[in-house]
Amino acid sequence: MATLNIRNIPDDLYERLLRYARASNRSVSEVVVRALERELERMEWQERLARRPKTDLGIDAATLIAEERRRRDAELGGAEGG
């Protein structure tokens, strides 16, 4: 397994890492490795998303959401009033 040394970590960041590690019953090293894994997974997900073809719904998403909310509110209002 490789070793990674990080220099010039701001004191406040290290203190936050230390507090988080203690609170989660883990070492600072474990916390940092997991944070790096999450960040790389996030970046990889964004890369995959960027490669996907665009989808044209023929209408903008905000309008679709507003319509669905109105439909849901009408259903909920009708069920409560009956």
Side-chain angles (χ1 to χ4, degrees):
M1 190 172 289
T3 299
L4 174 66
N5 293 310
I6 303 173
R7 296 186 181 133
N8 302 319
I9 297 174
D11 291 336
D12 61 327
L13 176 58
Y14 184 77
E15 288 301 319
R16 289 169 56 203
L17 283 168
L18 192 56
R19 281 195 307 272
Y20 182 80
R22 286 178 179 158
S24 59
N25 226 10
R26 295 186 294 181
S27 68
V28 170
S29 181
E30 289 170 317
V31 169
V32 170
V33 167
R34 183 62 192 124
L36 290 170
E37 287 172 343
R38 278 193 311 270
E39 180 63 15
L40 290 173
E41 288 168 1
R42 185 188 65 81
M43 289 173 30
E44 291 162 353
W45 181 85
Q46 287 178 331
E47 289 171 356
R48 286 192 309 274
L49 184 62
R51 287 192 303 265
R52 291 182 56 131
K54 302 284 185 218
T55 301
D56 182 7
L57 302 174
I59 189 169
D60 67 290
T63 301
L64 288 172
I65 291 170
E67 288 176 5
E68 187 57 33
R69 285 181 177 159
R70 279 191 296 276
R71 202 171 305 139
R72 181 202 60 207
D73 290 345
E75 285 178 16
L76 292 175
E80 292 173 4

